[in-house]
Short mmCIF file of all heavy atoms in Angstrom, two decimals:
data_model
loop_
_atom_site.label_atom_id
_atom_site.label_comp_id
_atom_site.label_asym_id
_atom_site.label_seq_id
_atom_site.Cartn_x
_atom_site.Cartn_y
_atom_site.Cartn_z
N PRO X 127 -39.01 -40.14 7.78
CA PRO X 127 -40.10 -40.63 6.92
C PRO X 127 -40.82 -39.48 6.23
O PRO X 127 -40.85 -38.35 6.73
CB PRO X 127 -41.03 -41.35 7.92
CG PRO X 127 -40.20 -41.61 9.13
CD PRO X 127 -39.19 -40.52 9.19
N LYS X 128 -41.44 -39.75 5.09
CA LYS X 128 -42.14 -38.72 4.32
C LYS X 128 -43.23 -38.04 5.14
O LYS X 128 -43.47 -36.84 5.02
CB LYS X 128 -42.75 -39.34 3.06
CG LYS X 128 -41.74 -39.66 1.98
CD LYS X 128 -42.42 -40.18 0.72
CE LYS X 128 -41.40 -40.48 -0.37
NZ LYS X 128 -42.05 -41.00 -1.60
N SER X 129 -43.89 -38.81 5.98
CA SER X 129 -44.99 -38.26 6.76
C SER X 129 -44.52 -37.21 7.78
O SER X 129 -45.29 -36.36 8.22
CB SER X 129 -45.74 -39.38 7.48
OG SER X 129 -44.85 -40.10 8.33
N GLU X 130 -43.25 -37.29 8.18
CA GLU X 130 -42.71 -36.38 9.19
C GLU X 130 -41.84 -35.28 8.60
O GLU X 130 -41.32 -34.43 9.32
CB GLU X 130 -41.88 -37.17 10.22
CG GLU X 130 -42.68 -38.21 10.98
CD GLU X 130 -41.79 -39.05 11.90
OE1 GLU X 130 -40.65 -38.60 12.17
OE2 GLU X 130 -42.21 -40.13 12.33
N TYR X 131 -41.70 -35.29 7.27
CA TYR X 131 -40.75 -34.40 6.60
C TYR X 131 -41.03 -32.92 6.88
O TYR X 131 -40.14 -32.19 7.33
CB TYR X 131 -40.80 -34.68 5.08
CG TYR X 131 -40.08 -33.67 4.23
CD1 TYR X 131 -38.69 -33.68 4.12
CD2 TYR X 131 -40.80 -32.71 3.51
CE1 TYR X 131 -38.03 -32.77 3.32
CE2 TYR X 131 -40.14 -31.79 2.71
CZ TYR X 131 -38.76 -31.83 2.62
OH TYR X 131 -38.12 -30.91 1.84
N ARG X 132 -42.27 -32.48 6.65
CA ARG X 132 -42.60 -31.05 6.81
C ARG X 132 -42.44 -30.59 8.27
O ARG X 132 -41.89 -29.51 8.55
CB ARG X 132 -44.01 -30.78 6.32
CG ARG X 132 -44.34 -29.28 6.22
CD ARG X 132 -45.71 -29.07 5.58
NE ARG X 132 -46.08 -27.67 5.57
CZ ARG X 132 -45.78 -26.80 4.62
NH1 ARG X 132 -45.08 -27.19 3.57
NH2 ARG X 132 -46.17 -25.54 4.69
N LYS X 133 -42.88 -31.45 9.21
CA LYS X 133 -42.74 -31.11 10.64
C LYS X 133 -41.27 -31.02 11.03
O LYS X 133 -40.87 -30.13 11.79
CB LYS X 133 -43.45 -32.16 11.48
CG LYS X 133 -43.40 -31.87 12.99
CD LYS X 133 -44.11 -32.95 13.79
CE LYS X 133 -44.08 -32.64 15.28
NZ LYS X 133 -42.70 -32.55 15.83
N TYR X 134 -40.45 -31.92 10.49
CA TYR X 134 -39.02 -31.92 10.79
C TYR X 134 -38.37 -30.62 10.32
O TYR X 134 -37.58 -30.00 11.05
CB TYR X 134 -38.35 -33.12 10.12
CG TYR X 134 -36.86 -33.21 10.35
CD1 TYR X 134 -36.33 -33.67 11.56
CD2 TYR X 134 -35.96 -32.81 9.36
CE1 TYR X 134 -34.96 -33.74 11.76
CE2 TYR X 134 -34.59 -32.87 9.56
CZ TYR X 134 -34.10 -33.35 10.76
OH TYR X 134 -32.74 -33.41 10.96
N VAL X 135 -38.70 -30.20 9.10
CA VAL X 135 -38.14 -28.96 8.54
C VAL X 135 -38.56 -27.76 9.39
O VAL X 135 -37.76 -26.88 9.69
CB VAL X 135 -38.57 -28.77 7.07
CG1 VAL X 135 -38.19 -27.38 6.56
CG2 VAL X 135 -37.93 -29.83 6.19
N MET X 136 -39.83 -27.73 9.82
CA MET X 136 -40.33 -26.64 10.65
C MET X 136 -39.61 -26.60 12.00
O MET X 136 -39.32 -25.51 12.53
CB MET X 136 -41.84 -26.77 10.86
CG MET X 136 -42.66 -26.36 9.65
SD MET X 136 -44.43 -26.42 10.03
CE MET X 136 -45.10 -25.67 8.52
N ASP X 137 -39.32 -27.76 12.56
CA ASP X 137 -38.61 -27.82 13.85
C ASP X 137 -37.20 -27.24 13.71
O ASP X 137 -36.72 -26.52 14.60
CB ASP X 137 -38.53 -29.26 14.36
CG ASP X 137 -39.87 -29.77 14.86
OD1 ASP X 137 -40.76 -28.93 15.11
OD2 ASP X 137 -40.04 -31.00 15.01
N ILE X 138 -36.51 -27.57 12.61
CA ILE X 138 -35.17 -27.04 12.35
C ILE X 138 -35.23 -25.52 12.19
O ILE X 138 -34.39 -24.78 12.73
CB ILE X 138 -34.56 -27.69 11.09
CG1 ILE X 138 -34.29 -29.18 11.31
CG2 ILE X 138 -33.26 -26.96 10.69
CD1 ILE X 138 -33.21 -29.48 12.33
N MET X 139 -36.24 -25.05 11.46
CA MET X 139 -36.42 -23.60 11.26
C MET X 139 -36.63 -22.89 12.59
O MET X 139 -36.06 -21.83 12.84
CB MET X 139 -37.60 -23.34 10.31
CG MET X 139 -37.33 -23.74 8.87
SD MET X 139 -38.81 -23.60 7.83
CE MET X 139 -39.15 -21.85 7.94
N ASP X 140 -37.41 -23.51 13.45
CA ASP X 140 -37.70 -22.93 14.76
C ASP X 140 -36.42 -22.83 15.60
O ASP X 140 -36.17 -21.82 16.27
CB ASP X 140 -38.75 -23.77 15.48
CG ASP X 140 -39.17 -23.16 16.82
OD1 ASP X 140 -39.56 -21.98 16.83
OD2 ASP X 140 -39.09 -23.86 17.84
N LYS X 141 -35.58 -23.86 15.54
CA LYS X 141 -34.31 -23.87 16.27
C LYS X 141 -33.40 -22.73 15.82
O LYS X 141 -32.62 -22.18 16.59
CB LYS X 141 -33.58 -25.21 16.06
CG LYS X 141 -34.04 -26.32 16.98
CD LYS X 141 -33.14 -27.52 16.78
CE LYS X 141 -33.55 -28.65 17.73
NZ LYS X 141 -32.67 -29.85 17.57
N CYS X 142 -33.51 -22.41 14.53
CA CYS X 142 -32.62 -21.39 13.94
C CYS X 142 -33.26 -20.00 13.91
O CYS X 142 -32.76 -19.10 13.23
CB CYS X 142 -32.21 -21.81 12.53
SG CYS X 142 -31.19 -23.29 12.52
N GLY X 143 -34.36 -19.83 14.63
CA GLY X 143 -34.96 -18.51 14.76
C GLY X 143 -35.79 -18.06 13.58
O GLY X 143 -35.98 -16.86 13.37
N LEU X 144 -36.29 -19.02 12.78
CA LEU X 144 -37.15 -18.69 11.65
C LEU X 144 -38.59 -19.05 11.99
O LEU X 144 -38.85 -20.00 12.73
CB LEU X 144 -36.71 -19.46 10.40
CG LEU X 144 -35.31 -19.10 9.85
CD1 LEU X 144 -34.84 -20.18 8.88
CD2 LEU X 144 -35.33 -17.75 9.15
N MET X 145 -39.54 -18.28 11.45
CA MET X 145 -40.95 -18.54 11.69
C MET X 145 -41.45 -19.69 10.80
O MET X 145 -40.93 -19.90 9.71
CB MET X 145 -41.79 -17.28 11.41
CG MET X 145 -41.42 -16.08 12.25
SD MET X 145 -41.79 -16.34 14.02
CE MET X 145 -40.15 -16.53 14.69
N LYS X 146 -42.47 -20.40 11.27
CA LYS X 146 -43.00 -21.53 10.50
C LYS X 146 -43.62 -21.08 9.18
O LYS X 146 -43.58 -21.80 8.18
CB LYS X 146 -44.02 -22.30 11.34
CG LYS X 146 -43.39 -23.03 12.52
CD LYS X 146 -44.39 -23.85 13.31
CE LYS X 146 -43.69 -24.58 14.46
NZ LYS X 146 -44.63 -25.38 15.28
N TYR X 147 -44.18 -19.86 9.16
CA TYR X 147 -44.80 -19.40 7.92
C TYR X 147 -43.75 -19.01 6.85
O TYR X 147 -44.09 -18.74 5.70
CB TYR X 147 -45.75 -18.22 8.18
CG TYR X 147 -45.11 -16.99 8.81
CD1 TYR X 147 -44.40 -16.08 8.05
CD2 TYR X 147 -45.26 -16.75 10.17
CE1 TYR X 147 -43.82 -14.96 8.63
CE2 TYR X 147 -44.67 -15.63 10.77
CZ TYR X 147 -43.96 -14.73 9.99
OH TYR X 147 -43.39 -13.63 10.56
N HIS X 148 -42.48 -19.02 7.24
CA HIS X 148 -41.41 -18.73 6.26
C HIS X 148 -41.17 -19.90 5.32
O HIS X 148 -40.47 -19.75 4.31
CB HIS X 148 -40.09 -18.44 7.00
CG HIS X 148 -40.07 -17.12 7.68
ND1 HIS X 148 -39.25 -16.84 8.77
CD2 HIS X 148 -40.78 -15.98 7.46
CE1 HIS X 148 -39.45 -15.59 9.17
NE2 HIS X 148 -40.36 -15.06 8.40
N ILE X 149 -41.73 -21.06 5.63
CA ILE X 149 -41.40 -22.30 4.91
C ILE X 149 -41.72 -22.22 3.41
O ILE X 149 -41.04 -22.84 2.58
CB ILE X 149 -42.11 -23.51 5.56
CG1 ILE X 149 -41.50 -24.82 5.05
CG2 ILE X 149 -43.63 -23.46 5.34
CD1 ILE X 149 -41.91 -26.04 5.86
N ASP X 150 -42.73 -21.44 3.03
CA ASP X 150 -43.12 -21.36 1.62
C ASP X 150 -42.65 -20.07 0.94
O ASP X 150 -43.03 -19.78 -0.20
CB ASP X 150 -44.65 -21.48 1.49
CG ASP X 150 -45.16 -22.84 1.95
OD1 ASP X 150 -44.52 -23.86 1.58
OD2 ASP X 150 -46.16 -22.89 2.69
N ARG X 151 -41.81 -19.30 1.64
CA ARG X 151 -41.30 -18.06 1.05
C ARG X 151 -39.97 -18.30 0.33
O ARG X 151 -39.30 -19.31 0.57
CB ARG X 151 -41.13 -16.99 2.13
CG ARG X 151 -42.46 -16.51 2.70
CD ARG X 151 -42.27 -15.31 3.59
NE ARG X 151 -43.54 -14.80 4.10
CZ ARG X 151 -43.66 -13.76 4.91
NH1 ARG X 151 -42.57 -13.12 5.30
NH2 ARG X 151 -44.84 -13.36 5.33
#
Side-chain angles (χ1 to χ4, degrees):
K128 286 184 179 180
S129 59
E130 299 175 17
Y131 169 77
R132 190 174 175 89
K133 182 180 181 300
Y134 179 78
V135 171
M136 284 185 172
D137 287 343
I138 294 293
M139 290 173 62
D140 184 54
K141 277 187 178 181
C142 294
L144 295 164
M145 300 294 107
K146 292 183 179 179
Y147 59 80
H148 288 156
I149 195 167
D150 296 316
R151 292 189 178 180

